[in-house]
């Protein structure tokens, strides 16, 4: 199960807090059972709002549309005598090595 996004958490939390306050103010209940029912209703509404938001647009498009492939295959550069057996011909960047 994927994790919820920040937008889902924010909208769900705001819905729970706002709907709880509005329902408590409109109903005027002071009984514990009424407050519990309002709390459960607010939590359910917040969960519904959070789940109705789209999860992640980048992940959804990556699953639905495959990446287009080029018509010509990319050729690997031929190995030269200057390359060591472990090298593949990647471009070197002038940074220090992390190996000791």
């Amino acid at each position: 199960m994927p994790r919820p996004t920040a937008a889902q958490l924010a909208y769900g939390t705001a819905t729970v807090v706002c709907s709880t306050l509005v329902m408590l103010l409109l109903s005027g209940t002071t009984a514990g059972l009424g407050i519990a029912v309002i709390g459960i209703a607010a939590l359910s509404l917040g969960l519904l709002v959070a789940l109705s938001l789209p999860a992640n647009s980048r992940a959804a498009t990556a699953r639905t549309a495959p990446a287009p492939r080029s018509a010509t295959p990319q050729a690997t550069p031929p190995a030269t005598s200057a390359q060591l057996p472990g090298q593949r011909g990647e471009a070197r960047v002038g940074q220090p090595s992390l190996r000791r």
Side-chain angles (χ1 to χ4, degrees):
M1 183 171 173
R3 293 184 177 181
T5 62
Q8 287 175 319
L9 290 174
Y11 282 125
T13 302
T15 301
V16 168
V17 170
C18 292
S19 63
T20 302
L21 289 176
V22 167
M23 285 190 279
L24 283 174
L25 290 174
L26 289 177
S27 69
T29 184
T30 56
L33 183 62
I35 294 172
V37 168
I38 288 174
I40 290 172
L43 286 174
S44 301
L45 185 61
L47 183 64
L48 179 71
V49 167
L51 291 179
S52 66
L53 289 176
N56 192 351
S57 61
R58 282 184 270 156
T61 56
R63 278 185 264 126
T64 57
R69 293 187 176 195
S70 62
T72 59
Q74 295 181 356
T76 58
T80 62
S81 61
Q83 288 181 336
L84 296 176
Q87 294 177 341
R88 294 188 194 136
E90 294 112 6
R92 293 276 179 161
V93 179
Q95 295 178 354
S97 174
L98 297 177
R99 296 183 195 171
R100 292 186 184 241

